Structures are given as structure tokens and as C-alpha cells.
Amino acid sequence: MRTEDLEEVRQLPLFSGMDPTRVDELLRGAFLQRFPAHVELARECEPADFLHVIVDGQVELYAAHHGRETTVSVIGPGQSFIVAAVLLDRVYLKSARAMVPSRVLLVPADAVRQGFAEDAALARSLAHELAFAYRNLVKELKNQKLRSNLERLANWLLVRDCETGATGRFELPFDKKTLAARLGMAPEVLSRSFAALAPYRVAVNGAEILLDDIPALRKLANPCATIDDASV
Amino acid sequence: MRTEDLEEVRQLPLFSGMDPTRVDELLRGAFLQRFPAHVELARECEPADFLHVIVDGQVELYAAHHGRETTVSVIGPGQSFIVAAVLLDRVYLKSARAMVPSRVLLVPADAVRQGFAEDAALARSLAHELAFAYRNLVKELKNQKLRSNLERLANWLLVRDCETGATGRFELPFDKKTLAARLGMAPEVLSRSFAALAPYRVAVNGAEILLDDIPALRKLANPCATIDDASV
DNA sequence: AACGCAGCTTGACCAAAGTCAAATTTCGCG
DNA sequence: CGCGAAATTTGACTTTGGTCAAGCTGCGTT
């Protein structure tokens, strides 16, 4: 790994609190790789060879079965994935693909397991990471099981608006097909759901979204801290 | 806590590897409580005051929103719950109720967090526990999003049959209303789904289930290791 | 044996969401 | 500027699953 990359990678929150020599030890077998958009980084059912940590970019975790496919989560810089599979030395339960060109740190699984066993700070970081991932997944399951497609879309719009500064106007960060998968619906249904939101003054123009009556939209969406708030 | 209970509690896998004096320290503020069936042990949105460890019995984790309710998981002896909320000092995302009379160890949250920070073995146990819980949740999400009601029921029957000795005959462990909630469908739909399985030689007589053509049922269910196998 | 209740099943109906095909729009590229 | 592929929308239809109400059944009680 190049020295400046190494510098950057050492700063990852995952390694904070660890003995620096141990970090270097862990990173000795690791490498930083660039992936173009749409490339698959890990495939369901394969043994967990590497812990993946996103340095740059965005990665979609998804699973397929029986011809159907569903997005489980979308994660960004600083987050790691397949932590659980690496720790337990099991196969991946999900596949992963880069949504945009991404740089990912790959740490060999056995080094991670050894680090976990020997370095308490790393064990705590991993536990922390797992706790976050777990809670996000619980939220996702609730979002999925307790809401209709339309409610999911409405809430997604509200959350997105907040994340981008609560201006009531923003751009979709990816194309609608992907958004539909993310929300767990067919693209046609997304299209119709947008149409169904017109009475709530949601205007769609290509990738541009305008929310002109947020109170009405909130009333429909019925947002809930234990599903939608990232900080809860 | 009574001495013999203390003895039993010390053996929990969660504490294995920990310094015994530290275990006792952790348990000083803890107590073992009996709960009758159907009692609520924790409620969504409340701050996480205790780590719960099931010593005996069975607990259902569920969430409600907007009048709807859904079971997230059902867990048994040796397993802990709300680990993530305790570690991160957040509110519960799910409620919990005893399905049968249960004994549960309650460990004050701040003691757990302190133990996590100071005792590496506990940190690893908690990480381990979280990793398992995370993977189970991923499986549950896939089960939910990638399968129809009928497929979920068929797979549940197959798994249950394996767990009870693969004899092709077993009893439902709880009533059908609960099973329906567990599978994420209305009780009426469960009833119809059972009827729809008759051509696959699934016979239902009260709580007794007979599977007379397992190959046919498997073909319909299309079981998948990364959803159904507890050991994957 | 009659009663009453809870759990379960059934029928009729409705609403949500998926599917398929065709029309339309968008957009990169020559 | 115009072509063609891909994305998106729309229409028509099907399937799945939920809802409501009525009936059935097993079972413990009186």
C-alpha cells in the first residue's frame, strides 16, 4: 500500500484506540483497492475472506433468491461490511456491489479474527460497528413490514430532504430503478407512487424532487423515530 | 440473588472467559426475575436500562407502528437481547414479551457498558452475540422480502420438522395466531395457506402436523442455506 | 348435558402490489 | 441534429394478501 494511503487508512474509526503497531500488523496483509461502479465486491454464499472497509464511495448490499433480488442496505465511507461473517468465519449472507467508483480496504479475514482475539480495542470497535449495523437492520425490517410502499417512499423523501438541508428541493442520488430496489418495490410501482404523491405537492422532474407541502407529506408518511432517525 | 441461582447464572456463555471476580462485580447489581407468560419485559422507545439474558423460557421480540404489529424474532435460553441498545446507550427499537413463563437475568446497562470497556472477554462475548443476532436478522429480512407467505410457511414447516427429529410429524409449539404473527401474515391467511398445502400432503389436525410428501414440499419451499440454516 | 368462550376456519370482498406489454422520454454519441 | 439504447411511464390485468363478518369446533365449567 502506498504510504499516503496507509496514512489515510490508519485514521479509520475502526482502528481508533488500537495500539499503532498492531494496526500496522493488521494492515500488513491488507490492501486498498479501487472498484469501478457496478462491480461486485462480494458474493452471497462465498466464504468470508476479507473484511471490507469503505474508504471512499458507496456500496449496496443485496441478496437474491429464486429470481427475486432485494437491497438490504446502502453504506458509505468509514463503514465496514460483512463484519459478522468474518468474525464468525461463515459465508456471506449478502452480495455487495459498488454503486459509484469506490475505494475499499480489504483486510484478510484471519488477520481480523486474530486481531479481534488479541486486541481489545479492535474487539470493541467491531462490536460497536455490529451494534450499529444491527440497529439499522432492525429499522429496515420494521420499515419493510410495518409500512406500505407509498409510506416507505414518503418517508424516504422526508429523510432525504433533511439530509440535504431541509430545503424542500433535492436531486435523487441514484436512478429510479435503484431507488425502487432500495425501497423494495418494482420500478413501475415507484413510478405510480410518485404519481400518487402529487396531491401532497410532491413534484418530480427527472432526478429533481420538490416537496411543496411537507406538513401534508409528514401526515401521510407518519414518520417514527425508531424507524427513520439515524441518530436513535 | 440466591446462591444457587448465582451459580447457574455464572455459567452463561456470555460470561465465559471473563475474570470471575469481574463476573461477580457485574452481577452485583443484577437480578434474576421470573415473568409469567404474556408479560411485557421491555417496551419500544424506552431507554435501555438493562441487558436481558434469558435463563429459562422463550421471549418474543416485536415492534408496532401505526396499529400494525410484527414479530421480529423469538429467542430462547442463553440468548441475550437488546445488546445493541445497551452498548450504544440508546432506546429499545423493539418490545419484548415472555411467550411462556420465563426467568430472565437483568443486568444494569451501565454495569454492562463499564464491563464492555474494561473486560475484553465480555466485549468479545457481546460482539459474538451481536454477530449472531445480526446474521439472524439478515436471514429474517431475506425470508420476508424474497418469499411469499406460502413459501415462508412451507419453509418454516420443513425447518421445524428437522429441529424435531425429521420424523415428518410434530406439534406446533404455539398457537396458530402466534405462528401467523411470527411468519408475518394475518391468521386467516395462515389458515388458507395450510389449506393450500394440502396437495403437498401437509395434514393439519389441531396442533399436530403431518408432512407426508417432503420432497414435494421442499420443491415448493425452495429452501436456501443462507436463509434457513441456523448453522450457516 | 347445556353453556359460553376462545381459537380457528370460511366466504365474500377489497386493496396493494407485481407483471407484461406498449408508449414515451431521456440522453449519450456519432 | 438525429439515432438508438436505456430509463421511465402508462395501461390493462393478475396475484397476493388483508379485512370483515359469520360460522364452526373443542373444551372447560356449571
Side-chain angles (χ1 to χ4, degrees), chain B residues 49-213:
Chain B
D49 292 330
F50 296 97
L51 174 70
H52 295 55
V53 190
I54 306 178
V55 176
D56 244 20
Q58 200 169 41
V59 171
E60 178 184 10
L61 303 180
Y62 65 99
H65 173 62
H66 213 191
R68 271 169 284 191
E69 179 181 311
T70 186
T71 303
V72 177
S73 55
V74 173
I75 58 178
Q79 295 186 276
S80 8
F81 57 98
I82 32 185
V83 185
V86 168
L87 271 196
L88 302 178
D89 199 2
R90 303 278 170 88
V91 300
Y92 302 137
L93 294 181
K94 305 172 280 192
S95 304
R97 71 167 77 95
M99 299 190 69
V100 299
S102 302
R103 284 191 308 155
V104 178
L105 177 71
L106 301 170
V107 189
D110 44 9
V112 175
R113 283 190 291 270
Q114 191 185 339
F116 175 77
E118 292 173 1
D119 188 292
L122 181 62
R124 289 191 186 101
S125 283
L126 290 170
H128 215 258
E129 190 84 22
L130 277 167
F132 271 108
Y134 178 80
R135 285 174 71 86
N136 282 332
L137 206 50
V138 171
K139 290 178 195 167
E140 185 54 35
L141 187 64
K142 289 170 66 173
N143 192 31
Q144 194 60 224
K145 289 181 73 170
L146 297 173
R147 283 181 173 152
S148 69
N149 276 346
L150 191 63
E151 287 171 326
R152 273 202 299 285
L153 173 59
N155 279 291
W156 187 90
L157 291 172
L158 289 169
V159 167
R160 186 76 201 162
D161 181 46
C162 281
E163 285 172 0
T164 55
T167 58
R169 161 199 289 267
F170 58 90
E171 305 249 315
L172 296 179
F174 26 65
D175 62 17
K176 291 182 186 161
K177 202 168 58 166
T178 307
L179 177 59
R182 173 85 196 72
L183 294 173
M185 59 180 95
E188 295 94 325
V189 178
L190 177 62
S191 201
R192 289 188 177 112
S193 298
F194 269 127
L197 290 179
Y200 299 86
R201 315 221 37 195
V202 174
V204 183
N205 211 305
E208 176 163 357
I209 306 289
L210 257 128
L211 309 182
D212 260 352
D213 188 353

Side-chain angles (χ1 to χ4, degrees), chain A residues 15 102 150 153 182 194:
Chain A
F15 304 128
S102 302
L150 191 62
L153 173 58
R182 173 83 195 74
F194 269 127

Side-chain angles (χ1 to χ4, degrees), chain A residues 44 65-66 68 70-71 85 90-91 93-94 116-117 124 134-135 137 142 145-146 151 222 226, chain B residues 44 65-66 68 70-71 85 90-91 93-94 116-117 124 134-135 137-138 142 145-146 151 222 226:
Chain A
E44 201 181 329
H65 173 63
H66 213 193
R68 272 170 284 191
T70 186
T71 302
R90 303 279 169 88
V91 300
L93 294 181
K94 306 171 280 190
F116 175 77
R124 290 192 186 100
Y134 178 80
R135 284 174 71 86
L137 206 50
K142 289 170 66 174
K145 289 180 74 170
L146 298 173
E151 288 171 326
N222 200 345
T226 57
Chain B
E44 202 181 329
H65 173 62
H66 213 191
R68 271 169 284 191
T70 186
T71 303
R90 303 278 170 88
V91 300
L93 294 181
K94 305 172 280 192
F116 175 77
R124 289 191 186 101
Y134 178 80
R135 285 174 71 86
L137 206 50
V138 171
K142 289 170 66 173
K145 289 181 73 170
L146 297 173
E151 287 171 326
N222 200 346
T226 58

Side-chain angles (χ1 to χ4, degrees), chain A residues 167-189:
Chain A
T167 58
R169 161 200 290 266
F170 58 90
E171 304 248 315
L172 297 178
F174 26 66
D175 62 15
K176 291 181 185 161
K177 201 169 59 169
T178 308
L179 177 59
R182 173 83 195 74
L183 293 173
M185 60 180 95
E188 296 94 323
V189 178

